[in-house]
Amino acid sequence: MQGCGLPQAWAGQPQWCVLETGFGMGFNFLSTWQAWKADPDRPRILHFAACEPLAVSPSDLLKAATALPGLLPLAQQLAAQWQGLLPGLHRLSFENGHVLLSLGIGDAQDMLKVQSLTADSVFLTGLRPQHPAPGWELNTIKAVARCCRRGTRLASREVAPVMLEGLKQCGFELIKSTGLPADAHMLHALFNPGWEPKTPRQITRPLPSEAMRCVVIGAGLAGASCAASLARRGWQVTVLDVRNAVAAGASGLPAGMLAPHVSPDDSVLSRLSRQGLRATWQTARSQLREGLDWQACGVLQRRFDSSGALPPEWPEAGEYWSRIATAADGAMPAPDSALWHGAGGWIKPQKLVQALLSGAGIRTCLGVDAAHLQRMPGTEPLWQVQTASGRCIAEATLVVLAAGFDSAALLKSSQMDDSLTTAMPLQAIRGQLAWGAVPRDAILPASPVNGDGSFIPSFPAPQGPASEPGQDLVPHWLMGASFERDVSNDDIKAEDQLALLGRLRHLLPATAASLTPAFEDGRALAWAGVRCASPDHLPLVGALDETDLPGVHICTALGSRGLTFAVLCAELLAAWLHHEPLPLEKRLANSLHANRFQKI
Ligand SMILES: Cc1cc2nc3c(=O)[nH]c(=O)nc-3n(C[C@H](O)[C@H](O)[C@H](O)COP(=O)(O)OP(=O)(O)OC[C@H]3O[C@@H](n4cnc5c(N)ncnc54)[C@H](O)[C@@H]3O)c2cc1C
């Protein structure tokens, strides 16, 4: 840190990004995090991006940290998230999302190529001049240089001549440092190339507070997650919703299931679902009550056809996410055709929305129907959100549309470029689920089960549909959900309840038999909502059109995986906006970009 002029260099900055080429046991990360915690002038967001060829075990991390007891509490938090580190990029989040670790498991050169980041400081570690691949150090330094802005400082303990040469060749000036012991084995450098670096971000001054006003339209999972991610970065956020309560749209389901998607080729959706799951659980862990509002209890996936197979060479780290189920996982009746998603579970989306919206810097206005966006005259983008009669509801430099299926209508009625709305074809998918208090004689599986619909055997909820504060919670079951394409109303249908019972008979016959009386006598309640989906079933995130709609962003089309995707998508939106390291590999991030259909 001292070699990079830290912590003084980051004082007063809105964000700072440290890049370390070799994570090792994480000492440099933990020390940087500790210094950030102790510094009253710390940046709001500290990014630490690091690469490591193979992840050590969490117990090795902890064992190593005992050598530096001051770091042990932080090492324990790191070890708790140190799970499922398959090759590729992982985002771990600490300090309520203010300290973000982007960990690339793989060769540093490859990992730096797949990421989008601009480093403010570089800790050049883990470079071994004796690496078997010829030219490996130079190529790694080149990859590092591509992530630097003019003025990035670098420090290293490696002083081999090949490194010094490599650094000079790649645009670094070696600098003399003061204040270090004379015998310190240390190299300091400044990135100051004779060419213009192609990094997206230069050192920034914090924006004046009046320019950091944002309106989010929609108080569901997408809107609440975006509001939280932006407020964390210093925005004053107003969240608008036409309904009179938060999470009153699709995000109002009593509980929902999260499980990673699996595919033999580990598809984009499979990889996104794991990153999304990690992001949701991190937020749940820090903001909700485990066992009451969420539980990562694992999910059993019954496989009635050949879909949902694991990749043939699934590394050991993958077993944290998904593996072939055994009898001990409750895999009946054919253990070897079922999967066990150990990182799956259930969550109450309303609780998540309420927690996200309760953060500092967020104001919620309910019962307001946003009908148009109107750009105000002036050189800087300023938007007015108006009612149908043209009354101003809110004004801001940044607008995030998170109104689900209604986002497209909102854009259309704002009379913006027609090609944009046709290029963003959103589909409404009505869905209904059945749920109720667990009857005394119910036969329930030990964990949530999916495969033909999804069944959650037990989550606590107040008896009866109206939730009164302080009311006793009793175990509830839930069976989801129907799919009705191109239907945008949330009417309850009796035939859907029957169809749900039919699917439960297929998924879990004994459970269905024990719950049939509840379906027959009306104890099985019904809940319906409208999902919003894109043509490729992936979310739409980011800036809509920077030329015609500067400052207008979208976060929607979470489909039937909003509980998995919302937090991740919001972090992606905020990272793009602030030119921060992305929480996903570039290719995965681009697969979610709001303007991807405009290019077709
Ligand atoms: C039956 C069912 C079961 C599901 N089960 C699961 C599950 O198990 N796991 C899972 O991950 N996902 C599940 N989902 C999907 C998940 O619920 C959604 O993906 C998620 O809630 C979408 O969140 P959102 O914020 O995008 O939309 P919403 O929650 O619908 O939020 C949009 C908000 O925008 C507001 N709005 C709209 N127009 C305007 C306007 N003009 N002005 C102001 N406000 C406006 C709406 O009132 C609404 O509150 C399920 C969905 C359904 C319907």
Side-chain angles (χ1 to χ4, degrees), residues 114-313:
V114 299
Q115 290 184 65
S116 170
L117 68 92
T118 305
D120 299 299
S121 311
V122 176
F123 301 168
L124 198 66
T125 59
L127 284 200
R128 287 154 298 138
Q130 68 281 14
H131 192 279
W136 184 80
E137 317 77 39
L138 178 61
N139 288 332
T140 305
I141 294 170
K142 275 186 190 159
V144 167
R146 278 194 289 271
C147 298
C148 293
R149 60 168 170 80
R150 193 177 298 284
T152 297
R153 279 180 66 171
L154 173 149
S156 175
R157 286 184 189 279
E158 318 268 1
V159 292
V162 58
M163 306 257 309
L164 302 185
E165 268 318 301
L167 285 169
K168 281 190 209 155
Q169 208 178 315
C170 293
F172 288 91
E173 286 171 1
L174 303 184
I175 49 175
K176 277 210 175 316
S177 296
T178 50
L180 289 172
D183 59 346
H185 221 42
M186 226 16 124
L187 178 156
H188 300 155
L190 180 80
F191 190 58
N192 191 18
W195 58 90
E196 215 31 63
K198 284 197 191 132
T199 44
R201 188 166 71 84
Q202 299 303 316
I203 193 84
T204 48
R205 298 247 155 269
L207 282 172
S209 57
E210 65 274 15
M212 294 203 71
R213 274 182 300 137
C214 164
V215 173
V216 175
I217 304 177
L221 277 169
S225 303
C226 288
S229 288
L230 292 168
R232 205 177 297 135
R233 286 160 175 85
W235 291 87
Q236 293 298 314
V237 187
T238 302
V239 181
L240 308 176
D241 203 293
V242 64
R243 314 246 190 160
N244 290 317
V246 303
S251 307
L253 64 161
M257 187 186 276
L258 291 89
H261 178 267
V262 292
S263 51
D265 59 348
D266 203 23
S267 66
V268 166
L269 176 60
S270 302
R271 300 176 70 190
L272 284 170
S273 73
R274 292 197 297 272
Q275 304 305 335
L277 212 62
R278 194 190 281 284
T280 306
W281 287 149
Q282 280 164 0
T283 307
R285 244 175 224 115
S286 65
Q287 306 206 16
L288 300 181
R289 301 162 305 169
E290 188 169 1
L292 288 178
D293 302 330
W294 68 283
Q295 196 151 39
C297 49
V299 168
L300 182 76
Q301 182 178 341
R302 296 205 56 200
R303 291 172 56 215
F304 297 105
D305 54 30
S306 57
S307 64
L310 290 171
E313 288 175 24

Side-chain angles (χ1 to χ4, degrees), residues 522-548:
R523 277 176 295 145
L525 307 168
W527 180 90
V530 180
R531 309 172 187 91
C532 168
S534 74
D536 60 8
H537 307 292
L538 292 178
L540 286 161
V541 185
L544 277 173
D545 182 328
E546 275 154 35
T547 317
D548 292 336

Side-chain angles (χ1 to χ4, degrees), residues 215-221 223-224 227 237-249 350 353-354 357-358 362-370 387 391 393-394 402:
V215 173
V216 175
I217 304 177
L221 277 169
V237 187
T238 302
V239 181
L240 308 176
D241 203 293
V242 64
R243 314 246 190 160
N244 290 317
V246 303
Q350 285 182 324
V353 169
Q354 285 161 4
L357 291 178
S358 68
I362 303 176
R363 194 170 66 99
T364 308
C365 293
L366 300 174
V368 285
D369 190 353
T387 61
R391 185 174 61 83
I393 310 171

